[in-house]
Structures are given as structure tokens and as C-alpha cells.
Amino acid sequence: MPRKPRFYLLDIPYHIVQRGNNRTACFFSPSDFGIYINALTDALQTFHVQLHAFVLMTNHVHLLMTPSDSQGISKVMQSVGCNYVRAINGLYRRTGTLWEGRHKASPINSEEYLLICQRYIELNPVRAGMVDHPSEYRWSSYQANGAGKAIRCLTPHPTYLSLGNTHTERQHAYRELFNCDISGEQLHILRDCLNHNYPMGNERFKSDIEAALNRKLGHLKPGDLWPGKNE
């Protein structure tokens, strides 16, 4: 059965998740994380995609990205997947894929949910019981967004920049957000949207995205826009 098309709109942030094959490890040593980040940085620059947040877990990755064209995110994921797998297979003398099928992609309403999504991504190591606070996990964008360390592949989203007039003000305001838990309802919405590649936002946001895609691509059948939601 052919894959359903994956559509992206420019200037809309997307929450991306890619998991290891059969939920097994895709990073085997600390140096592997650096290999992935280097491959990701190159791909982002080549295909003009902005990365706002990320976390690299042992068996999956979360990325929050905004593309400048409809193909940018797909090209980034293809490039990283190919180059990272090639490097890891050569390093560990293994064969085959590391990844479990296609990545998940949920468009995010930046006004409502962007900072919630960033926090969700950066809190992954805490929820997994690996650390007590996101600042303790090295392979996460919290090191930049919350702690002020320079990470070359990151581009702050305007919603993050609106938190303050200076780096120090923004980082302080961002850290304060982590004093409040993400609600159970927000977690459910975020995970459901991600699992179904569905927009995370209010009904107007969803309608606007559907209308924009129909203008760009023509009439679409039910299930074409959001594979899995109507199946």
C-alpha cells in the first residue's frame, strides 16, 4: 500500500518525533549524539529549516522545526537519517536501518502551544527518570533556551524571543515556566496530535491549515491531510 503524502506549510512550526526501529536504541555511546547533531546542523543549513528545540533520547529524538518551504523538513529528516545511519553502521560494523518507519509530524499553533511543546520536548529526560531537572541532561535544547549555552543548530522562535528583551531576561522567564507542570489535558492533546500527525491548536488553526493545504494542493480526500486520524 503506498504511503500517504506528508505535507508541510512554510513558517509553521512542527513537532517531529523519530523512534528507533522496534523502539530499540539508536544511540550507543556519548559520541553518537555528537554525530547526530553534526548531521542535523548540516541538514538544517542546507535545506533552510530552523530548529527551535530538541532532545536526543537513547531510542528516539524530538525536534521542533519551522521550514521555509514545503519540502524542507522531509529533506532534513532524509539527510540526517541517511548520513547518521551510514556513520553508525560503519562505526559499529552493523547493517540495516536504525529508524522505525516514517517520522511523526504535528503542526503547532505557536501562539497557544509552542512553549508548551518546547517544555514537553526538554522534559523528556525528566519524565524518563534519567535526571531530576532538564538542566542536567546534556543532549537537549534546554542547555541553550534555559541555561544560555550556545548551540549552533538552534534558532530561537519569535514566541521564545518575546519572553524578554535580553538573553538573560528570556532565559530567566523560560526557566520560570518549568516551575509549573504541563497539565494532563495538555499532555494528552500533544501526544494525540503527534501520534496522528494532527495539528495542535484551536479549531480555527486547524481550519486555516486545512484551507492553506487545499489551496496549495487542490481537493484532498478525507484522511489525506492527517494520516491515521480518519483510519
Side-chain angles (χ1 to χ4, degrees), residues 29-141:
S29 72
S31 62
D32 297 345
F33 294 102
I35 294 172
Y36 185 95
I37 287 293
N38 288 336
L40 178 61
T41 300
D42 290 344
L44 292 167
Q45 293 174 347
T46 299
F47 300 112
H48 309 291
V49 174
Q50 295 183 345
L51 177 71
H52 313 301
F54 72 88
V55 68
L56 309 185
M57 304 294 284
T58 304
N59 65 353
H60 68 284
V61 302
H62 287 259
L63 309 168
L64 181 60
M65 298 192 287
T66 298
S68 59
D69 63 61
S70 62
Q71 299 299 314
I73 287 178
S74 291
K75 290 178 179 178
V76 165
M77 299 307 293
Q78 291 167 2
S79 175
V80 173
C82 179
N83 291 329
Y84 178 72
V85 171
R86 183 188 300 120
I88 293 302
N89 283 355
L91 186 62
Y92 294 104
R93 299 182 181 275
R94 65 180 303 280
T95 59
T97 185
L98 286 171
W99 306 111
E100 184 178 77
R102 299 176 80 184
H103 60 273
K104 299 287 188 180
S106 172
I108 303 295
N109 184 334
S110 58
E111 293 181 1
E112 288 184 281
Y113 290 115
L114 186 118
L115 293 178
I116 292 173
C117 186
Q118 280 201 185
R119 287 161 57 208
Y120 174 84
I121 288 171
E122 294 169 358
L123 282 166
N124 259 258
V126 177
R127 287 193 299 273
M130 301 169 70
V131 295
D132 293 325
H133 191 272
S135 62
E136 300 169 11
Y137 193 74
R138 179 180 179 185
W139 301 106
S140 157
S141 53

